[in-house]
Amino acid sequence: KIIKPDSGNQVIDGMKAMIHRQKLYYKKLQAKQEEVMKNMERSVQRRDFIKVRYPVDEFSTNNIKQKDAKSKEIKELSGQIDYIARKKKEYTNQINNIQDKVNDLEGRINELDTINENIQNNAIQVRNDYFKEKISQYHTLPAITDTYNNIYMTYDEVEEQISNLASAIQSFGIQKGDFIDIFTENNGRWAIAEQASMRCGAVCTLRGSNAPVEELDYIIGHSEAKGLILRDGKLLNALKPYLQKHSLKFIVIMFKNNRDDLSGVSIPLYYFEDAVKKGEECTFIQPEQNIDEPCLMLYTSGTTGLPKGVLITHKNILGQMPAVEKGFMSKVGEHTLQILPVWHAYEQTSQLYYFICGCHLHFTTLSGLKNDLAKYDIATMMSVPRIWEAMRLGIFQKLKQKYFFS
């Protein structure tokens, strides 16, 4: 869905309204802080006056009551002064936090203004160039943690693998406008494969590796794919009977297993690591691209017939960023948890956003979700109701086993 011309402006207007509210609150806090300071000044003056006017040591034994009263008053005033000092510190921290929020919002508005203006003028970079420019700021910050596939990468390492894989894919004969089908579940490598393909000017087609093989075969034919990136050798074996009828130039397998059977495949075949290494020796030629060209084709699940492909342009994807920014406002280093399917438009948009914000993406599975939520300090997680229904069912099953509920 292409963003409406005024949608980006609406997001920016919403942020400006937030800034206005923060500044009003800022003024209220400043007024409270001034009032607190006046109270403190009065209390200090009163306490010092009592100490000078009525030195406790000079009270006679006949004025025990007066001595106790003045001592009590001094103690109460000292307590008030301590309390006021704490409130002053509290208001100062709140004021500083508000100022930081205002500065952050103003910075985000400036960036969104630029994106919005460029979208309207068709001057913005394509999705993969925008991705490259943004992640280049984060260098050694952690980008990907996928404990299930033993993947731990910084932003520099992500960019290096994208660059090398793109060079390799281009050397396989892929040209601008060719389709590359990526069949996998969510993991720490799929975004690298997708970005590398797009950098070559290819259009990525995504589907889960657990989809019926007949459906995957249909998608390969319907998209007229020139390349395949598969999750593992198990999926390759399932697809072997269908491969020869398609005009494929290469196949890349994401995860290697020593028991993989690669026999019977005449199409050039590489493991992910080997393709990345091959790319180190290749020269990459940057294709010309513009934001109105397609970069992605998502397929429907096919519940009412054959899956239907939906072409999505660079502009479609980038046009969502202002609205996502308003909803999430993620910060550099923030931890996220990734579980949705890669062919889910929701996951597509969110992962792009998390990467360009410099977040630390943690990849999980349905069985590992509960433990990973507790293990990592997760700020944001994209999900759907079915995930929480599954967790709820698991909780009730545990309760049933423990307490013999019927």
Side-chain angles (χ1 to χ4, degrees):
K1 183 178 179 181
I2 296 178
I3 192 167
K4 294 179 180 179
D6 63 341
S7 296
N9 292 329
Q10 290 173 359
V11 171
I12 291 171
D13 289 344
M15 285 189 172
K16 287 179 178 177
M18 290 171 65
I19 288 176
H20 179 67
R21 290 194 294 271
Q22 291 289 343
K23 286 184 174 179
L24 288 177
Y25 185 44
Y26 181 93
K27 289 180 180 178
K28 287 182 180 179
L29 285 175
Q30 279 187 320
K32 287 184 177 180
Q33 190 182 45
E34 288 174 5
E35 183 180 348
V36 161
M37 291 299 294
K38 289 178 181 178
N39 289 337
M40 175 181 273
E41 188 178 346
R42 286 194 292 268
S43 296
V44 169
Q45 288 174 349
R46 174 63 181 167
R47 183 190 63 183
D48 293 344
F49 171 77
I50 292 172
K51 284 182 176 180
V52 173
R53 182 70 179 83
Y54 303 103
V56 174
D57 294 339
E58 294 181 9
F59 284 112
S60 65
T61 53
N62 297 327
N63 293 324
I64 295 297
K65 288 184 179 180
Q66 188 179 12
K67 175 182 177 181
D68 289 344
K70 294 303 177 184
S71 296
K72 183 178 179 181
E73 187 175 0
I74 289 173
K75 187 176 181 180
E76 288 176 352
L77 285 167
S78 297
Q80 289 177 16
I81 291 167
D82 290 341
Y83 171 77
I84 291 170
R86 290 196 300 272
K87 292 300 290 183
K88 176 194 171 186
K89 185 176 180 181
E90 180 184 323
Y91 287 138
T92 300
N93 290 337
Q94 288 183 28
I95 287 170
N96 290 338
N97 287 337
I98 288 174
Q99 190 60 57
D100 289 342
K101 285 181 182 179
V102 169
N103 291 339
D104 182 51
L105 283 167
E106 287 175 342
R108 290 172 185 268
I109 284 175
N110 290 336
E111 184 168 351
L112 289 177
D113 272 328
T114 303
I115 293 174
N116 217 29
E117 181 181 349
N118 287 339
I119 287 174
Q120 302 309 318
N121 297 331
N122 286 336
I124 197 168
Q125 300 157 297
V126 291
R127 171 181 169 173
N128 37 285
D129 286 345
Y130 183 64
F131 180 94
K132 180 179 179 180
E133 178 188 301
K134 297 299 290 185
I135 70 168
S136 66
Q137 306 171 39
Y138 308 125
H139 300 296
T140 57
L141 287 178
I144 293 172
T145 293
D146 181 354
T147 57
Y148 301 94
N149 295 296
N150 198 30
I151 300 172
Y152 307 89
M153 301 180 71
T154 65
Y155 274 91
D156 279 345
E157 290 168 337
V158 168
E159 169 52 32
E160 183 181 10
Q161 286 205 356
I162 292 172
S163 178
N164 290 335
L165 185 58
S167 297
I169 289 173
Q170 196 175 68
S171 75
F172 298 154
I174 294 299
Q175 298 178 353
K176 177 182 173 180
D178 287 344
F179 281 74
I180 296 177
D181 292 355
I182 303 175
F183 298 152
T184 182
E185 301 309 312
N186 211 342
N187 62 70
R189 278 185 176 160
W190 84 266
I192 293 172
E194 182 192 58
Q195 285 296 322
S197 301
M198 289 184 184
R199 197 168 289 187
C200 297
V203 180
C204 293
T205 298
L206 301 173
R207 198 72 178 97
S209 53
N210 293 326
V213 178
E214 295 77 15
E215 183 178 314
L216 298 180
D217 171 54
Y218 169 78
I219 290 173
I220 296 171
H222 182 263
S223 65
E224 299 179 357
K226 294 296 186 288
L228 278 185
I229 299 178
L230 308 177
R231 188 190 190 286
D232 50 32
K234 180 181 177 183
L235 180 56
L236 174 68
N237 282 332
L239 285 170
K240 278 181 182 178
Y242 305 94
L243 295 178
Q244 295 307 319
K245 65 181 179 180
H246 301 296
S247 302
L248 295 168
K249 295 182 178 181
F250 76 92
I251 299 174
V252 169
I253 298 176
M254 285 185 171
F255 299 104
K256 186 176 183 177
N257 189 304
N258 292 330
R259 292 174 293 179
D260 289 341
D261 178 12
L262 308 183
S263 63
V265 180
S266 59
I267 302 160
L269 183 61
Y270 305 86
Y271 282 112
F272 184 90
E273 296 90 339
D274 298 330
V276 170
K277 189 172 182 179
K278 178 178 174 61
E280 295 176 3
E281 305 166 357
C282 301
T283 301
F284 182 74
I285 301 173
Q286 181 71 45
E288 291 186 8
Q289 297 174 272
N290 70 70
I291 62 172
D292 289 314
E293 293 173 341
C295 64
L296 190 66
M297 185 152 75
L298 297 181
Y299 277 85
T300 62
S301 58
T303 51
T304 58
L306 294 172
K308 300 170 183 64
V310 181
L311 272 175
I312 299 173
T313 67
H314 294 276
K315 190 173 185 177
N316 292 145
I317 299 292
L318 293 174
Q320 305 303 312
M321 290 301 105
V324 177
E325 167 69 12
K326 183 183 179 183
F328 290 88
M329 297 181 67
S330 295
K331 296 183 178 179
V332 174
E334 199 168 273
H335 294 261
T336 73
L337 199 58
Q338 312 306 132
I339 190 173
L340 294 181
V342 298
W343 43 269
H344 207 292
Y346 198 27
E347 184 71 7
Q348 267 282 328
T349 305
S350 68
Q351 279 204 34
L352 173 64
Y353 174 72
Y354 292 146
F355 275 120
I356 65 177
C357 286
C359 296
H360 184 177
L361 285 73
H362 300 266
F363 291 81
T364 187
T365 62
L366 193 56
S367 59
L369 174 60
K370 184 176 69 173
N371 291 334
D372 287 339
L373 278 171
K375 182 178 179 181
Y376 304 113
D377 182 20
I378 301 300
T380 310
M381 171 186 160
M382 307 297 278
S383 66
V384 291
R386 188 172 154 190
I387 290 174
W388 303 106
E389 289 168 3
M391 288 187 69
R392 177 177 176 272
L393 180 62
I395 292 169
F396 275 104
Q397 286 176 342
K398 287 279 180 70
L399 289 172
K400 188 182 274 190
Q401 291 171 1
K402 186 172 182 179
Y403 298 106
F404 305 100
F405 288 166
S406 58

